[in-house]
């Protein structure tokens, strides 16, 4: 294992003090002179044609400065899949129809938020109500109401994967099982609601501060929807209070803030309320998953046939990617000699589902893991043994899709079994108590260029100074996951400097290098980390010149940066301080500052990702036999994220993942009636509180990912996957009830008990 | 959302409160901790022009206990204070437990037990225990004081027996009788910090092996916290065997009238009334025998 100085250490997060002391500036904290406050008028109907919008009353309300509808806009559709323009199905404000309760219809800006709120009530919209569809079965039925005219089937995306002779494999299987799973929508429930504030300068250029995961994507899509040039738009991401996939698209308020700032000449701010977030916000895709798997008698997998309908809600949002990925994740974790997938993304009259932590994997892998445990029981095998038998290993390939370049899955399975005393407990726990397992694999960023960017996927600029400091500039968006800290650690390690020697400027599209695709798909540590290393290596090449000149080095020498010094490898006695080396390099170049840019774009890495993380989690539960209440007693997790650049930050990811997974498994759901979300606050949206989170133990499995910076791969989303299947398996072990429709509520447990 | 404009008054005496109530008319609202009231105003459910805060009034915050006369909790005594008051913890542990189980620390440091009662939510966490313990509510109006058994106080969701210009000044709980035990249990969808979907409280008094007295109240299963008199009849005068307790649970369940809402289905609530009734009876029974 490589010896690192700062990488692999528990380094306190860059943002920790600012957040703990309240000095962190979030978008809503940004206040500009003369600023106006925006509000959005939303559709009260799930599906309707807009016949007429009358805004004439609004102007009479003192304090209103601007009102706009879709008619005022350039009417350009947008969506993140620019490579396939037909998937771009959304306007900033509704043009012809509204397609869900909360669909944005008009916006106003006024001198205070109360006036803006009141102004909304003066806008009169005449609708012709249309029948709505609220689940995939209704939406794909013959003669179902058509939600988008361009898509008469309501199926907007079809994705297929196939390899191996699947029919033959099933025919030759000793045991085949088929199950249908229903998984539900849950909210990102980031603590900072969406907010944006736009300013337009006298040259007509726009600056937008926004709570986003994807500054570059916002810049590009805002430019196209406003019909402006990309570089006349500057996106600045202040501190962000979480995103989890819910802030990775251009959204109405970003467009309207910019549009109205341009129109009024005054800054315009929008901040959503929690009620708006719950009523209309993005959510995790509900899916209907039909999965057929085949085994040999000894538990060896032979085939898998997976059909998934994604309930996409009213627009595609990030649905195409989720459709793509849930099929890829269906083939992960285990070696399927033959595999067939058909994913269909279906429109319904509900708030659009989109990316959410795990991006298709929590749903798909819930089915995978449930079936592995069910099959183990039927075949008389231990659930961990059947997994060990089929586990993917380093070097495995998924035909035409990906190669696994590092994999600690088997080690993780063995470790959680040992930590949790699995083999004993699975045999001896009394009725009402149970132990269960869930596993995961996840991507470290995506390969496929659906955004159709002309830039590298990640970029970094590094400036080195003769005072022994360095400045790192990157468009990577720290949204609370901690990439500012991790990227600084990588640079500090590469230069042999300390954390406090590095200044970072991130996520400002006007001053950080083009481009970065954003914080999603657990891509930043690997992709932006590689870009930082590339830039650092270019600087080091220049420092080599300086050190070489000073010590008259042989050309075969390599240089090393460590403890603030630069020296030929193995000869620390011949050293310059980092600052001296920079000064010399600068003199050689007649004062030219020492600056380098680094880039990373995955190449020859298949269709999905450059590298996969793996892990396993065991949950122990106690189920109250009379009330059906599930109490998780403890979690044990063993995971492989390659080199953990910052183990403390990785553990933070695990804690957050467990909290999210617990809610997904047991308590969180949108209560909906006719397309309307009824639980629009944290009292009725049952996100687990800190008091509900059980103790947990974790072990990092040591692997070294050759494609990752200093051996690192993802740790952000994969961990959100195993918790629900682990709890479901444990509840099954405790009660005999196998949940196939999340969440696992007390009522379902009792109903199953009555029926058994 | 828009917070409607209102004038906030902070009188120092009850006389001023009654003066203000009469002067400002029926739309004026009384506020103790404000944790329910301000939320309703913020959501536009109430638009009062005047809000009269009680926290400045001397003596209204008092919690007093006397072996013979019992416990008095003043109108502005905080949930947090009730939860940790040594006399309450010692002599009325179930009242302390219910207060401690209400909402979260921030709310408990602002909100009051009386406010929880006056808000008259069928799910109010503090109501079933106080009802089971035969609490009385002290009401003051411009005309003077009246005392009402708590089980006559609740009239419907958000509705109480208060008439215009009256306020609740205290709740009084009799001194604990010998050989008496109490218990309260609640269930909710989230676990440890949540609003109650079903709650049951019991007070059991034993004479030797026989149940001499019992009061049983169910929360969140009807328009007001409900008494289960027929279940009590099954228990009174009986030995509390598993069989009797089982029957009482089933009966309490039959006496509840829960609705289905997003917090639980009516069927689940009905079933849980039986389960929780059995559990609180066993617990109260044990405590009665232990004292």
């Amino acid at each position: 294992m490589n010896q690192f100085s700062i990488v692999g250490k528990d380094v306190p997060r860059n943002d920790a003090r600012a957040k703990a002391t309240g000095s962190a500036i979030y978008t809503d904290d940004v206040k500009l002179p003369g600023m106006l406050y925006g509000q959005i008028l939303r559709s009260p109907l799930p599906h309707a044609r807009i016949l007429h919008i009358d805004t004439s009353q609004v102007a009479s309300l003192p304090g209103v400065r601007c009102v706009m509808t879709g008619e005022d806009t350039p009417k350009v559709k947008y969506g993140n899949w620019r490579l396939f323009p037909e998937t771009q199905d959304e306007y900033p404000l509704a043009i012809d129809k509204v397609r869900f309760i909360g669909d944005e219809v008009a916006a106003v800006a006024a001198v205070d938020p109360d006036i803006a709120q009141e102004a909304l009530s003066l806008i009169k919209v005449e609708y012709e109500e249309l029948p709505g569809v609220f689940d995939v079965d209704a939406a794909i039925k013959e003669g179902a109401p058509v939600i988008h005219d361009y898509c008469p089937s309501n199926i907007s995306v079809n994705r297929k994967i196939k390899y191996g002779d699947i029919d033959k494999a099933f025919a030759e299987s000793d045991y085949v099982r088929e199950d249908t799973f229903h998984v539900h929508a849950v909210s990102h429930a980031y603590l900072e609601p969406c907010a944006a504030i736009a300013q337009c300068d006298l040259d007509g250029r726009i600056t937008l501060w926004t709570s986003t995961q994807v500054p570059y994507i916002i810049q590009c899509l805002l430019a196209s929807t406003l019909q402006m040039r990309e570089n006349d738009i500057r996106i600045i991401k202040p501190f962000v209070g979480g995103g989890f996939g819910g802030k990775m698209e251009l959204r109405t308020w970003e467009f309207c803030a910019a549009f109205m700032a341009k129109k009024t000449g005054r800054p315009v701010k929008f901040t959503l309320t929690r009620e708006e977030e719950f009523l209309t916000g993005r959510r995790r895709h509900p899916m209907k998953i039909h999965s057929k798997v085949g085994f040999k008698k000894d538990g060896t997998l032979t085939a898998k046939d997976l059909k998934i309908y994604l309930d996409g809600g009213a627009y595609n949002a990030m649905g195409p990617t989720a459709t793509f990925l849930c099929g890829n994740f269906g083939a992960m974790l285990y070696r399927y000699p033959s595999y067939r997938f058909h994913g269909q993304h279906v429109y319904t009259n509900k708030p659009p589902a989109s990316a959410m932590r795990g991006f298709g994997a929590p749903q798909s892998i819930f089915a995978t893991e449930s079936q592995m445990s069910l099959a183990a029981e039927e075949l008389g095998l231990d659930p961990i043994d059947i997994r060990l038998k089929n586990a993917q290993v380093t070097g495995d390939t998924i035909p035409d899709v990906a190669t696994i370049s590092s994999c600690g899955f088997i080690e993780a399975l063995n470790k959680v079994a040992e930590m949790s005393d699995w083999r004993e407990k699975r045999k001896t726990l009394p009725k009402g108590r149970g132990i269960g397992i869930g596993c995961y694999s996840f991507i470290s960023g995506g390969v496929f260029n659906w955004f159709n960017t002309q830039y590298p996927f990640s970029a970094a600029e590094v400036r080195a100074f003769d005072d022994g400091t360095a400045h790192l500039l990157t468009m990577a968006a720290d949204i609370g996951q901690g990439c500012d800290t991790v990227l600084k650690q990588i640079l500090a390690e590469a230069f042999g400097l300390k954390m406090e020697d590095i200044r970072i400027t991130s996520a400002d599209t006007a001053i950080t290098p083009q481009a970065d695709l954003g914080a999603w798909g657990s891509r930043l540590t690997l992709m932006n980390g590689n870009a930082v290393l590339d830039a650092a290596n270019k600087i080091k090449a220049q420092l080599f010149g300086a050190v070489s000149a000073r010590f008259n080095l042989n050309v075969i020498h390599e240089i090393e940066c460590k403890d603030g010094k630069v020296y030929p490898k193995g000869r620390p006695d011949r050293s310059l301080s980092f600052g001296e080396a920079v000064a010399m390099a600068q003199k050689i170049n007649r004062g030219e500052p020492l600056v380098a840019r680094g880039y990373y774009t995955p190449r020859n890495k298949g269709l999905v990702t450059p590298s996969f993380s793996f892990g396993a989690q065991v949950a122990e539960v106690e189920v109250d036999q009379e009330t059906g209440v599930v109490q998780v007693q403890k979690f044990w997790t063993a995971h492989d994220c390659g080199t953990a650049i910052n183990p403390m930050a990785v553990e933070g990811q695990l804690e957050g993942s467990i909290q999210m997974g617990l809610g997904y498994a047991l308590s969180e759901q949108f209560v909906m009636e006719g397309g309307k979300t009824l639980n629009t606050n944290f009292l009725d949206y049952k996100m687990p509180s800190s008091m509900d989170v059980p103790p947990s133990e974790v072990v990092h499995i040591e692997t070294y990912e050759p494609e990752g910076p200093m051996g690192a791969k993802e740790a952000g989303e994969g961990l959100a996957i195993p918790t629900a299947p682990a709890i479901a398996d444990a509840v099954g072990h405790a009660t005999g009830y196998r949940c196939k429709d999340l969440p696992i509520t007390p009522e379902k447990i009792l109903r199953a008990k009555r029926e058994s | 959302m828009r917070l409607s404009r209102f004038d906030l008054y902070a009188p120092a005496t009850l006389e001023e409160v009654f003066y203000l109530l009469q002067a400002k008319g029926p739309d004026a609202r009384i506020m103790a901790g404000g944790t329910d009231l301000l939320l309703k105003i913020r959501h536009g459910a109430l638009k009062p022009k005047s809000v009269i805060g009680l926290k400045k009034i001397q003596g209204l915050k008092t919690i007093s206990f006397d072996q013979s006369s019992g416990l008095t909790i003043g109108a502005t005594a905080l949930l947090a204070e009730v939860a940790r008051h040594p006399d309450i913890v010692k002599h009325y542990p179930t009242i302390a437990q219910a207060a401690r189980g209400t909402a979260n620390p921030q709310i408990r440091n602002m909100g009051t037990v009386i406010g929880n009662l006056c808000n008259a939510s069928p799910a109010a966490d503090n109501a079933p225990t106080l009802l089971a313990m035969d609490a009385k509510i002290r009401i003051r109006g411009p005309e003077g004081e009246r005392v009402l058994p708590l089980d006559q106080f609740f009239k419907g969701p958000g509705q109480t027996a208060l008439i215009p210009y009256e306020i609740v000044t205290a709740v009084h709980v009799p001194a604990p009788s010998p050989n008496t035990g109490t218990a309260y249990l609640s269930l909710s969808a989230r676990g440890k910090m949540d609003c109650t979907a079903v709650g049951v409280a019991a007070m059991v008094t034993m004479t030797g092996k026989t149940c001499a007295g019992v009061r049983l109240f169910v929360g969140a299963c009807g328009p007001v916290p409900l008494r289960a008199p027929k279940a009590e009849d099954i228990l009174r005068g009986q030995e509390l065997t598993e069989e009797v307790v089982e029957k009482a649970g089933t009966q309490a369940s039959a006496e509840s009238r829960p609705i289905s809402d997003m917090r639980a289905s009516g069927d689940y609530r009905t079933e849980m009334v039986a389960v929780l009734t059995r559990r609180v009876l066993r617990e109260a029974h044990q405590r009665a025998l232990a004292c």
Side-chain angles (χ1 to χ4, degrees):
Chain A
M1 199 94 275
N2 295 32
Q3 283 306 306
F4 296 120
S5 305
I6 291 177
V7 158
K9 301 286 186 305
D10 289 336
V11 176
R13 286 256 301 267
N14 233 27
D15 50 349
R17 280 169 68 94
K19 286 179 177 169
T21 57
S23 62
I25 303 293
Y26 294 84
T27 301
D28 188 55
D29 296 321
V30 177
K31 292 183 174 66
L32 298 172
M35 163 174 103
L36 302 175
Y37 297 84
Q39 295 275 1
I40 297 162
L41 182 72
R42 296 172 179 281
S43 168
L45 299 172
H47 196 192
R49 205 170 297 288
I50 298 174
L51 300 177
H52 183 64
I53 305 178
D54 177 7
T55 59
S56 59
Q57 304 273 308
V58 181
S60 65
L61 188 69
V64 173
R65 290 289 181 271
C66 190
V67 55
M68 64 182 291
T69 69
E71 286 304 314
D72 301 311
T73 71
K75 297 187 187 172
V76 177
K77 283 185 181 176
Y78 62 91
N80 283 7
W81 275 53
R82 289 200 302 190
L83 190 61
F84 300 95
E86 68 276 13
T87 65
Q88 298 185 295
D89 58 3
E90 220 168 339
Y91 290 110
L93 291 169
I95 300 290
D96 49 346
K97 272 170 82 173
V98 288
R99 297 178 173 89
F100 70 97
I101 291 175
D103 210 350
E104 294 92 350
V105 175
V108 293
V111 294
D112 86 45
D114 290 347
I115 294 174
Q117 181 76 38
E118 196 172 328
L120 295 184
S121 65
L122 300 176
I123 302 173
K124 303 287 172 238
V125 187
E126 209 183 311
Y127 294 105
E128 178 198 338
E129 197 168 352
L130 301 168
V133 284
F134 306 109
D135 60 58
V136 292
D137 292 334
I140 60 175
K141 213 179 259 165
E142 196 62 36
V146 173
I147 297 172
H148 291 266
D149 291 341
Y150 89 92
C151 182
S153 66
N154 287 331
I155 297 171
S156 67
V157 181
N158 265 287
R159 154 96 175 142
K160 289 179 179 173
I161 305 173
K162 188 175 182 299
Y163 55 80
D165 188 341
I166 193 161
D167 297 321
K168 183 161 170 271
F170 276 123
E172 290 170 0
S173 298
D174 297 320
Y175 169 65
V176 175
R177 69 170 301 127
E178 286 187 68
D179 300 280
T180 301
F181 299 90
H182 291 90
V183 289
H184 64 307
V186 285
S187 173
H188 307 87
Y190 32 70
L191 287 184
E192 182 208 11
C194 289
I197 172 167
Q199 189 176 39
C200 184
D201 69 17
L202 294 177
D203 296 329
R205 291 197 177 89
I206 285 171
T207 302
L208 181 80
W209 292 259
T210 182
S211 177
T212 187
Q213 302 174 221
V214 287
Y216 168 66
I217 289 180
I218 305 300
Q219 180 194 7
C220 298
L221 294 180
L222 193 54
S224 59
T225 49
L226 287 170
Q227 296 187 320
M228 289 174 64
R229 296 182 300 188
E230 268 172 29
N231 289 296
D232 288 336
I233 289 175
R234 175 183 185 186
I235 307 295
I236 298 174
K237 175 208 69 73
F239 279 97
V240 170
F244 308 107
K247 297 176 180 172
M248 67 168 291
E249 305 151 57
L250 176 69
R251 303 297 293 278
T252 296
W253 46 93
E254 293 168 322
F255 174 89
C256 290
F259 184 89
M260 295 202 284
K262 205 167 176 176
K263 206 165 160 192
T264 63
R266 294 173 66 168
V268 179
K269 180 200 275 186
F270 284 81
T271 302
L272 266 56
T273 63
R274 183 61 61 186
E275 285 78 8
E276 276 179 298
E277 287 282 4
F278 276 128
L279 186 70
T280 73
R282 303 297 204 225
R283 41 201 72 193
R284 179 176 282 162
H285 282 93
M287 294 187 193
K288 182 181 171 184
I289 303 169
H290 185 84
S291 179
K292 179 177 169 187
V293 277
F295 294 86
K296 288 290 186 191
K297 249 197 250 39
D298 67 354
T300 306
L301 277 164
T302 55
K304 179 168 180 173
D305 189 3
L306 183 65
K307 285 195 197 79
I308 299 184
Y309 288 102
L310 294 89
D311 182 346
Y315 297 97
N316 274 329
M318 290 312 301
T321 313
T323 311
F324 185 84
L325 287 177
C326 67
N328 293 127
F329 289 121
M332 286 307 296
L333 284 173
Y334 309 110
R335 307 162 121 177
Y336 299 97
S338 60
Y339 180 72
R340 182 164 60 198
F341 167 73
H342 186 193
Q344 298 176 80
H345 183 268
V346 182
Y347 285 131
T348 55
N349 293 111
K350 295 192 294 195
S354 193
M356 182 172 161
R357 202 175 192 176
F359 222 153
Q363 299 98 320
S364 184
I365 291 181
F366 178 73
T368 301
E369 287 297 278
S370 296
Q371 284 189 309
M372 287 304 275
S373 290
L374 284 162
E377 274 165 26
E378 294 283 322
L379 293 166
L381 297 167
D382 181 277
I384 288 188
D385 289 338
I386 199 171
R387 286 170 167 83
L388 284 168
K389 185 175 266 305
N390 294 290
Q392 286 175 329
V393 296
T394 304
D396 274 357
T397 57
I398 298 139
D400 304 327
V401 172
T403 300
I404 296 166
S405 42
S406 67
C407 176
F409 186 29
I410 286 179
E411 294 85 339
L413 280 165
N414 285 323
K415 195 73 206 172
V416 283
E418 177 199 320
M419 287 159 80
S420 63
D421 195 15
W422 169 274
R423 294 192 188 271
E424 185 60 27
K425 285 179 178 165
R426 188 81 183 185
K427 287 196 197 94
T428 58
L429 280 181
K431 195 171 164 61
R433 289 179 61 194
I435 193 164
I437 185 157
C439 303
Y440 78 89
S441 172
F442 200 70
I443 58 174
S444 309
V447 166
F448 182 44
N449 188 10
W450 38 255
F451 191 63
N452 199 20
T453 180
Q454 71 276 31
Y455 289 113
F457 279 18
S458 273
E461 181 177 312
V462 173
R463 306 173 183 170
F465 301 102
D466 66 358
D467 60 359
T469 66
H471 187 180
L472 168 60
L473 296 100
T474 168
M475 219 180 269
D478 194 327
I479 54 168
Q481 85 281 33
C483 66
D484 276 359
T485 309
V486 160
L487 297 174
K488 272 175 72 173
Q489 276 180 275
I490 290 172
L491 185 60
E493 186 69 50
F495 281 171
L497 296 178
K498 298 196 197 67
M499 288 297 275
E500 57 266 33
D501 299 330
I502 315 262
R503 171 200 289 262
I504 185 165
T505 300
S506 58
D508 177 334
T509 62
I511 58 176
T512 57
Q514 274 74 20
D516 187 274
L517 288 176
W520 54 270
S522 297
R523 56 185 296 286
L524 285 175
T525 296
L526 187 139
M527 296 204 182
N528 213 283
N530 277 335
V532 170
L533 266 188
D534 184 31
N537 287 334
K538 287 173 182 165
I539 297 262
K540 279 166 83 169
Q542 297 196 52
L543 296 181
F544 176 80
V547 179
S548 176
R550 172 75 177 74
F551 297 109
N552 194 20
L553 297 186
N554 189 316
V555 290
I556 61 164
H557 265 107
E558 193 53 73
I559 65 157
E560 193 160 0
C561 298
K562 214 169 174 147
D563 301 327
K565 296 190 170 58
V566 186
Y567 50 84
K569 214 167 200 164
R571 292 300 304 272
D573 54 316
R574 296 178 162 192
S575 74
L576 288 174
S577 77
F578 184 83
E580 286 167 347
V582 171
M584 279 195 71
Q586 231 176 315
K587 277 180 191 153
I588 291 166
N589 288 324
R590 291 187 168 273
E592 197 180 301
L594 197 47
V595 177
R597 286 196 166 176
Y599 302 103
Y600 179 79
T601 303
R603 287 189 182 84
N604 298 319
K605 294 289 161 198
L607 291 176
V608 189
T609 185
S611 89
F612 294 94
S613 65
F614 288 88
Q617 187 170 69
V618 166
E620 186 174 337
V621 304
E622 191 166 336
V623 182
D624 187 318
Q625 303 282 297
E626 288 185 315
T627 62
V629 171
V630 176
Q631 187 76 47
V632 182
Q633 308 287 331
K634 189 157 180 179
F635 287 108
W636 295 267
T637 310
H639 71 104
D640 156 27
C641 65
T643 303
I645 304 263
N646 189 340
M648 188 162 69
V650 172
E651 275 170 51
Q653 289 287 346
L654 173 64
E655 282 173 26
S657 296
I658 283 179
Q659 187 268 357
M660 242 175 184
L662 199 63
Y664 187 46
L666 297 175
S667 60
E668 290 182 38
Q669 57 184 321
F670 285 103
V671 182
M672 297 195 72
E673 214 174 80
K676 185 170 181 160
T677 305
L678 302 178
N679 50 342
T680 60
N681 56 53
F682 277 120
L683 185 62
D684 290 316
Y685 183 83
K686 307 289 186 186
M687 190 163 103
S689 77
S690 58
M691 292 161 73
D692 299 311
V693 177
S696 103
E697 273 179 44
V698 59
V699 166
H700 307 293
I701 302 294
E702 296 273 324
T703 66
Y704 193 91
E705 169 56 48
E707 183 67 14
M710 298 170 178
K713 47 189 179 177
E714 82 87 27
E717 292 180 79
L719 288 163
I721 300 165
T723 305
I727 293 174
D729 187 33
V731 168
H733 185 224
T735 65
Y737 163 59
R738 271 285 158 192
C739 181
K740 293 184 189 175
D741 58 334
L742 289 175
I744 309 163
T745 62
E747 300 195 31
K748 287 179 191 167
I749 291 175
L750 294 186
R751 195 181 311 133
K753 194 182 160 200
R754 262 195 307 274
E755 284 163 7
S756 72
Chain B
M1 222 166 288
R2 190 168 190 169
L3 195 62
S4 65
R5 260 191 76 86
F6 58 83
D7 291 323
L8 175 67
Y9 299 91
T13 65
L14 283 173
E15 287 64 38
E16 286 174 71
V17 172
F18 300 126
Y19 166 77
L20 283 166
L21 277 171
Q22 291 171 356
K24 300 300 168 190
D27 140 88
R29 305 294 297 200
I30 291 287
M31 177 169 89
T35 56
D36 283 311
L37 180 69
L38 291 178
L39 210 61
K40 287 179 187 165
I41 295 175
R42 184 163 281 279
H43 288 163
L46 285 177
K47 290 182 178 169
K49 299 241 171 6
S50 315
V51 170
I52 303 163
L54 298 182
K55 284 197 169 173
K56 284 248 166 84
I57 298 172
Q58 291 285 322
L60 221 50
K61 201 182 167 118
T62 311
I63 298 173
S64 63
F65 172 70
D66 184 292
Q67 283 289 359
S68 56
S69 61
L71 171 72
T72 303
I73 299 171
T76 55
L78 301 177
L79 286 156
E81 292 167 340
V82 171
R84 63 165 181 257
H85 193 279
D87 287 326
I88 301 180
V89 171
K90 185 167 175 205
H91 302 289
Y92 302 90
T94 311
I95 292 177
Q97 175 211 325
R100 198 167 52 242
T102 309
N104 56 36
Q106 291 89 334
I107 301 280
R108 292 197 289 274
N109 285 329
M110 287 289 288
T112 63
V113 169
I114 306 282
N116 189 230
L117 298 177
C118 289
N119 188 50
S121 157
D125 265 307
N126 296 276
T129 306
L130 289 167
L131 285 161
M133 298 194 78
D134 202 11
K136 292 183 174 50
I137 204 113
R138 194 174 293 159
I139 297 168
R140 275 278 290 275
E143 312 302 323
E145 186 174 88
R146 63 184 177 118
V147 174
L148 200 66
L150 185 57
D151 60 12
Q152 293 170 30
F153 181 67
F154 300 111
K155 297 296 178 193
Q159 307 289 313
T160 67
L162 290 177
I163 58 171
Y165 315 134
E166 280 187 332
I167 68 163
V168 175
T169 55
V171 63
H172 177 78
V173 193
S177 331
N179 308 317
T180 299
T182 54
Y184 172 65
L185 286 174
S186 65
L187 273 182
S188 59
R190 172 160 29 203
K192 299 216 175 65
M193 191 181 79
D194 201 0
C195 62
T196 292
V198 199
V200 183
M203 181 168 79
V204 171
T205 303
M206 300 299 294
T207 307
K209 282 188 163 179
T210 311
C211 170
V214 59
R215 289 172 66 87
L216 193 60
F217 282 85
V218 179
C221 286
V224 298
L226 293 176
R227 190 166 185 178
K230 289 181 187 155
E232 291 175 4
D233 288 343
I234 291 174
L235 298 158
R236 217 172 277 116
Q238 301 296 315
E239 251 184 71
L240 297 187
T241 59
E242 263 309 296
E243 194 189 340
V244 170
V245 167
E246 184 77 35
K247 258 173 77 182
T250 310
Q251 179 57 41
S253 180
E255 287 177 81
S256 63
R257 291 177 276 145
I259 54 163
S260 288
D261 62 14
M262 60 185 150
R263 290 173 189 164
S265 74
D267 288 347
Y268 182 71
R269 284 190 164 110
T270 305
E271 199 177 338
M272 287 310 104
V273 169
V275 172
L276 295 187
T277 298
R278 294 198 295 266
R279 290 183 181 182
V280 292
L281 284 172
R282 284 186 210 119
E283 205 174 313
H285 181 208
Q286 285 309 314
R287 287 179 179 163
L289 295 177
C291 67

